[in-house]
Amino acid sequence: MYAIVAESLVKTYGGVPALDGVSFEVDRGEVFGFLGPNGAGKTTTIKILTTLIKPTAGRAEVLGCDIYRMGHEIRRRIGVVQQQESYELNLSVEKALDLYGFIWGVPRSRRRELVDELLIRFGLSEVRKVKAGDLSIGMRRRLQVAREFMHDMELLFLDEPTIGLDPIVRRQTLDFIKSKAREGLTIFFTTHILEEAEYLCDRIAMINRGRIVVVDTPDNLKREFGKIRKVEMRAKHSIPDDFIMRLMADSSFDRVSRIDPQTVSVICSTPGEAIAQMLRLADKFRLEIVSIYAAEPTLEDVFIGIITSDA
Amino acid sequence: MRNIFRLAYRAFVSSLDKPTLFFILIFPAFLIFVMGYAYSGIIPSFMLGGETISYPVFLASGAVTLVVVNSGMTVGTIIWFDRKYGMYEQILVGPFRRYEYMAGIILATILVSLLSAGLALTIASPVLAGTPVTLPGLLYAGLTLAVGSVLFGSLALIISIHLRSSESFNVVSNFIFFTILFTSSVFYPAEYAPQPIKLVAELNPLTYLADAFRAGLLGIADSNILFKTGILMAEGFALLAVASLMFSDIKA
Ligand SMILES: Nc1ncnc2c1ncn2[C@@H]1O[C@H](COP(=O)(O)OP(=O)(O)O)[C@@H](O)[C@H]1O
Ligand SMILES: [Mg+2]
């Protein structure tokens, strides 16, 4: 039985699609990652699955419950760390943890144990008496993530839980989440950071502009798309349109784009060939090259590469 | 039902810290001990519902109802803070139904109002000593406070929902608070006020709350008291209905 089944989810805002037919399944016990750039539709997907908003079309089941009819049942059995901050200005860190456990109906003795454990695990012991409103953003984020572990759940949604955290704390947080996954918790995790998804997830769905581009294990994705590079060339004078057209005509390049009049970039998995080709053309057009180099692609470049090679 | 109590307790704890409780009580305390006596030199005892009443006693009993307005504003506006600081959406993805969140706030408003009114009454007890308090009268007074707290809690909800993203939220709620206070019968009996003020006072729910509470507490035989209580209840119900409608219209 699946923990999550989503079928053709669509969400439009004023006619503009934020989600454009998203389908996937998450197994019980799996850590499933939603990886995509800002605005891809990650938060919208989580809001739909946690029954905060309704999709424009499509259907979904969470823990076997229909999101339209059984929202309350779903919400009783999940945990959610939203992307947006949430805290109570006047409550101290330990009071905030305790009160959150209280509204979830966790017995007092269990709450006391959990508060003590989470304060330590999330490095919040020193600020336990500090009011949430007086914490740094990073500390507040830690409190928010820690707080969600005050209650039991079968499935945890984490919407970019590491934003605002410095690298060491980020790693500690991911490790804590990983330990929970090993204990059998199913996790739906979003991020725009490739390494995080790789580190944590059993499977990754790459999402861009409201569509899932590919779903696979981190290993397979790396094998398939790890070769993608971005080659950028800068000329002394503006590059003629013909030059660009010639590059575009080469089908082994996934995407050719003009960055500014003197700069062109190529996304491809054969950077050596791209450089050779650019040098040949520059010679032909008598273009003076200022710089030319191949770089690790950004996540966005990879998406563009995948989408263009799909089309 | 358990969820409503839990959320009420949360609203109670997260909106009522010691400084806030102090703020709720300090203003009425000044009215009771400073204003009442300061004016007693120029304001003689007067007739109210067939009884003679001194100004300090009149003002002290009115000041107790003022804490209800203050408590309602304090607890009812929690929704504004919850939405601004993300707790509203966080609670909505928890094991709750939407109406339970609002019911929790209303319940917390009643609890905080009765608690702080009890404290205010204790503070006022030296002034009120000597007035014949009866148990039915006290119960009646408590009931009007509960109705009043629902009313002012709803009013605070309405303001909070309406001014969701407005930085003028504080200005507006303070303005409304002072308008309600100074055009009510907390400071003066509405029937003695000049026509325009009297008119406003007679629209003001705090007038009915103060009158009904005084009647119950001090045992004043005001022949209009059931009518006034009825208006208070009707206004409370109307504001609660408006607040509920506005609340159910909020898009997450
Ligand atoms: N309430 C809203 N009103 C209008 N547009 C929205 C709203 N919420 C999200 N969007 C749009 O939907 C798209 C997807 O947003 P989101 O799901 O937040 O992306 P992500 O979480 O991947 O960054 C974005 O283009 C965003 O601007
Ligand atoms: Mg997002």
Side-chain angles (χ1 to χ4, degrees):
Chain A
M1 194 173 152
Y2 290 119
I4 304 175
V5 179
E7 261 176 44
S8 315
L9 289 179
V10 174
K11 179 74 187 178
T12 57
Y13 286 108
V16 183
L19 286 186
D20 196 8
V22 163
S23 306
F24 61 91
E25 290 93 32
V26 177
D27 282 321
R28 297 239 175 186
E30 185 177 29
V31 180
F32 188 83
F34 238 41
L35 175 67
N38 281 335
K42 304 183 293 296
T43 299
T44 304
T45 307
I46 285 198
K47 283 185 173 173
I48 289 172
L49 295 175
T50 58
T51 76
L52 199 54
I53 59 174
K54 291 199 163 60
T56 313
R59 57 172 289 277
E61 274 183 16
V62 176
L63 301 169
C65 302
D66 182 90
I67 53 163
Y68 292 99
R69 292 182 296 106
M70 299 170 77
H72 186 247
E73 172 71 10
I74 291 172
R75 295 194 304 274
R76 274 191 333 109
R77 294 164 61 191
I78 62 173
V80 188
V81 174
Q82 294 176 327
Q83 179 175 0
Q84 68 165 354
E85 275 201 292
S86 61
Y87 58 97
E88 284 123 335
L89 277 180
N90 293 326
L91 294 186
S92 70
V93 169
E94 61 183 358
K95 187 71 204 168
L97 290 173
D98 182 67
L99 194 58
Y100 196 71
F102 174 82
I103 62 174
W104 270 89
V106 179
R108 179 193 293 266
S109 58
R110 176 81 185 125
R111 294 207 303 273
R112 213 174 286 151
E113 280 169 28
L114 283 169
V115 169
D116 287 339
E117 184 197 333
L118 292 169
L119 286 174
I120 294 170
R121 291 299 292 268
F122 284 85
L124 291 165
S125 300
E126 273 142 53
V127 294
R128 64 191 299 161
K129 304 274 184 209
V130 178
K131 286 182 175 184
D134 297 332
L135 294 174
S136 69
I137 290 177
M139 284 286 189
R140 271 208 299 265
R141 190 64 178 168
R142 279 194 241 176
L143 169 60
Q144 190 183 352
V145 178
R147 190 179 63 193
E148 209 51 41
F149 291 98
M150 284 297 297
H151 63 93
D152 289 331
M153 64 200 116
E154 294 167 52
L155 165 63
L156 174 61
F157 290 89
L158 293 161
D159 198 354
E160 310 211 22
T162 60
I163 38 174
L165 301 184
D166 63 55
I168 295 169
V169 179
R170 176 181 293 245
R171 184 59 177 253
Q172 285 167 350
T173 306
L174 290 177
D175 282 342
F176 183 79
I177 295 167
K178 205 164 184 164
S179 74
K180 289 290 167 185
R182 270 196 221 103
E183 291 169 16
L185 181 63
T186 310
I187 295 177
F188 184 96
F189 171 85
T190 81
T191 180
H192 62 272
I193 302 167
L194 190 59
E195 295 80 57
E196 277 192 358
E198 256 179 76
Y199 181 69
L200 206 61
C201 300
D202 300 315
R203 282 189 309 144
I204 298 173
M206 291 185 146
I207 178 170
N208 193 40
R209 292 170 189 248
R211 283 172 178 274
I212 290 186
V213 182
V214 57
V215 184
D216 216 328
T217 62
D219 283 347
N220 285 344
L221 287 175
K222 255 199 299 202
R223 203 169 307 135
E224 212 169 329
F225 304 109
K227 295 189 301 267
I228 291 180
R229 288 290 178 276
K230 176 157 112 173
V231 178
E232 214 171 87
M233 184 196 99
R234 190 169 168 77
K236 191 158 184 197
H237 304 288
S238 76
I239 302 170
D241 286 343
D242 238 21
F243 183 104
I244 308 250
M245 296 300 237
R246 291 282 188 94
L247 283 176
M248 282 179 170
D250 192 325
S251 63
S252 66
F253 303 151
D254 290 325
R255 191 187 179 98
V256 179
S257 36
R258 187 194 277 281
I259 311 289
D260 61 45
Q262 285 121 282
T263 316
V264 60
S265 86
V266 170
I267 307 254
C268 63
S269 44
T270 50
E273 242 172 67
I275 291 177
Q277 172 81 309
M278 282 172 166
L279 291 175
R280 263 199 307 278
L281 286 170
D283 198 35
K284 191 159 172 211
F285 284 87
R286 295 183 193 291
L287 263 183
E288 196 173 326
I289 295 174
V290 176
S291 65
I292 184 165
Y293 63 92
E296 285 279 335
T298 63
L299 188 58
E300 216 134 350
D301 296 332
V302 174
F303 282 119
I304 290 163
I306 297 168
I307 294 159
T308 346
S309 60
D310 267 7
Chain B
M1 216 40 205
R2 273 217 303 241
N3 276 341
I4 296 177
F5 282 116
R6 284 175 186 151
L7 291 172
Y9 179 72
R10 184 197 87 91
F12 183 95
V13 172
S14 62
S15 62
L16 194 69
D17 50 6
K18 288 195 194 89
T20 310
L21 186 61
F22 178 77
F23 173 75
I24 289 177
L25 293 175
I26 191 66
F27 193 31
F30 270 114
L31 295 187
I32 292 164
F33 292 114
V34 182
M35 284 274 285
Y37 289 107
Y39 281 105
S40 64
I42 51 169
I43 305 175
S45 296
F46 54 93
M47 295 296 284
L48 195 68
E51 311 259 338
T52 313
I53 187 169
S54 75
Y55 189 64
V57 168
F58 178 84
L59 187 58
S61 51
V64 174
T65 64
L66 176 59
V67 303
V68 171
V69 185
N70 231 332
S71 307
M73 290 302 228
T74 303
V75 183
T77 50
I78 191 179
I79 189 174
W80 190 85
F81 291 93
D82 278 350
R83 290 175 84 195
K84 185 173 170 82
Y85 298 104
M87 285 309 292
Y88 176 68
E89 288 203 343
Q90 183 66 50
I91 288 171
L92 288 194
V93 294
F96 311 104
R97 298 175 202 279
R98 280 171 67 106
Y99 78 86
E100 290 174 335
Y101 173 81
M102 178 163 153
I105 291 181
I106 295 292
L107 182 58
T109 308
I110 297 173
L111 295 177
V112 173
S113 294
L114 291 181
L115 173 80
S116 47
L119 291 173
L121 207 53
T122 312
I123 293 174
S125 56
V127 179
L128 296 175
T131 52
V133 176
T134 63
L135 186 65
L138 208 57
L139 285 178
Y140 181 78
L143 193 72
T144 61
L145 290 182
V147 175
S149 65
V150 171
L151 189 152
F152 290 107
S154 302
L155 181 64
L157 278 169
I158 291 169
I159 299 168
S160 303
I161 296 170
H162 186 67
L163 297 179
R164 154 165 215 184
S165 55
S166 172
E167 290 308 320
S168 56
F169 169 72
N170 272 322
V171 179
V172 173
S173 46
N174 276 324
F175 175 75
I176 290 177
F177 173 76
F178 282 110
T179 308
I180 286 174
L181 176 59
F182 288 113
T183 62
S184 74
S185 60
V186 165
F187 291 106
Y188 46 83
E191 48 262 55
Y192 287 83
Q195 197 46 241
I197 297 178
K198 188 176 174 195
L199 204 69
V200 179
E202 280 175 350
L203 291 171
N204 186 339
L206 186 55
T207 295
Y208 298 105
L209 175 57
D211 287 357
F213 176 77
R214 264 192 203 107
L217 186 73
L218 307 176
I220 298 168
D222 183 340
S223 56
N224 284 329
I225 208 61
L226 285 180
F227 173 70
K228 286 179 176 176
T229 311
I231 292 188
L232 180 68
M233 286 180 136
E235 287 187 337
F237 185 78
L239 286 182
L240 182 62
V242 171
S244 306
L245 282 177
M246 287 176 69
F247 177 75
S248 62
D249 256 8
I250 295 178
K251 303 232 175 358

